[in-house]
């Protein structure tokens, strides 16, 4: 495998090794926290704080892994010498990446409601801006197209927004029942999107050949699902 291939699989590797195990722990602690609030005394008192702390790491981790995926898609699409827009566009995208990363760090530290809302929106807009680049495969951008709902990218944008909501609204979720109910509803939707991500991500990995195979694979007709026959090779002596 070439370096570009390793960069491509970094995103799914981190998702499998870090994100999905974290999801399991956060969900279990969330259920235990609710059970304790309902009066079950055999639940550890620390379940609530552990759920909150791991939830913050999960939210930030999802954003970071998504940013890695977008960067990998942009820089591996073509050789750097053939990068569309040249250094000017590359610098612009780098500034968007840095701004998004800084907004995420600021969101982690912010305490006032207005700043948390601002940095949540800035982080999400940064993710969407990088994902809007032509190098990023989105299947379809039309929500009225059935293929749109099979897009790994758009499901990722949705779950990123939900994670940023949980991170930004953390104080309100801890203090108010109404916000906790919204949080539960948002996380149920996030669970569906994470499941879709697991399915569509596996599908997309099957469609990404190693770099040394690209010249041959791109001779195939992706509409008719047919490839030209390979030239016969003489038997080895």
């Amino acid at each position: 495998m070439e370096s570009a291939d390793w960069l491509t699989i970094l995103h799914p590797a981190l998702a499998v090794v870090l994100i999905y195990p974290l999801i399991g722990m956060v969900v279990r602690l969330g259920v235990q926290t609710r059970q304790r609030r309902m009066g079950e005394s055999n639940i550890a008192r620390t379940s609530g704080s552990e759920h909150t702390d791991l939830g913050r790491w999960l939210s930030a981790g999802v954003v970071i892994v998504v940013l890695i995926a977008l960067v990998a898609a942009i820089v591996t699409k073509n050789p750097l010498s053939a990068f569309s827009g040249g250094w000017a566009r590359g610098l612009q995208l780098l500034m968007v990446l840095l701004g998004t990363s800084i907004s995420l760090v600021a969101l982690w530290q912010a305490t006032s409601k207005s700043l948390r809302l601002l940095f949540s929106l800035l982080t999400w807009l940064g993710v969407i801006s990088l994902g809007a680049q032509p190098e990023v495969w989105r299947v379809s951008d039309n929500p009225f197209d059935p293929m749109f709902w099979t897009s790994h990218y758009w499901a990722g944008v949705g779950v990123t927004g939900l994670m940023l909501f949980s991170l930004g609204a953390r104080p309100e979720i801890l203090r108010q029942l109404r916000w906790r109910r919204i949080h539960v509803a948002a996380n149920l939707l996030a669970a569906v999107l994470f499941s879709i991500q697991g399915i569509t991500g596996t599908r997309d990995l099957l469609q990404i050949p190693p770099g040394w195979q690209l010249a041959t694979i791109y001779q195939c007709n992706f509409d008719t699902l047919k490839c030209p026959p390979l030239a016969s090779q003489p038997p080895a002596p």
Side-chain angles (χ1 to χ4, degrees), residues 100-160:
T100 305
S101 302
I102 292 172
S103 294
L104 178 61
V105 174
L107 172 60
W108 185 278
Q109 301 291 337
T111 56
S112 72
K113 183 185 297 186
S114 57
L115 287 179
R116 285 184 277 113
L117 175 61
L118 173 64
F119 290 126
S120 296
L121 290 175
L122 287 176
T123 305
W124 199 33
L125 287 175
V127 169
I128 294 174
S129 297
L130 290 173
Q133 304 308 307
E135 292 88 354
V136 178
W137 175 245
R138 297 186 296 274
V139 182
S140 173
D141 292 332
N142 180 8
F144 297 103
D145 181 356
M147 294 302 294
F148 173 88
W149 302 100
T150 68
S151 172
H152 185 72
Y153 166 78
W154 283 113
V157 166
V159 81
T160 300

Side-chain angles (χ1 to χ4, degrees), residues 11 20 31 33 50 53 60 66 84 121 125 137 148 150 152 154 162 170 173 186 188 197 215:
H11 160 72
Y20 280 89
V31 172
T33 300
E50 290 174 353
D53 293 340
V66 168
S84 175
L121 290 175
L125 287 175
W137 175 245
F148 173 88
T150 68
H152 185 72
W154 283 113
L162 292 172
R170 175 175 169 265
I173 293 170
L188 288 174
Q197 287 293 87

Side-chain angles (χ1 to χ4, degrees), residues 19-98:
I19 299 301
Y20 280 89
L22 264 178
I23 293 172
M25 289 187 284
V26 170
V27 169
R28 177 169 175 77
L29 287 169
V31 172
Q32 289 180 341
T33 300
R34 178 169 176 79
Q35 289 174 338
R36 187 172 181 276
R37 288 200 180 107
M38 298 298 291
E40 294 193 25
S41 58
N42 60 337
I43 304 297
R45 295 176 62 88
T46 58
S47 59
S49 59
E50 290 174 353
H51 170 70
T52 300
D53 293 340
L54 284 180
R56 293 184 76 198
W57 284 107
L58 173 62
S59 299
V62 167
V63 177
I64 292 170
V65 170
V66 168
L67 289 176
I68 290 173
L70 296 175
V71 170
I74 292 171
V75 302
T76 61
K77 180 66 174 180
N78 296 302
L80 292 180
S81 58
F83 182 72
S84 175
W87 287 105
R89 176 170 174 255
L91 182 60
Q92 183 181 29
L93 293 179
L94 179 60
M95 294 299 292
V96 173
L97 175 62
L98 290 176

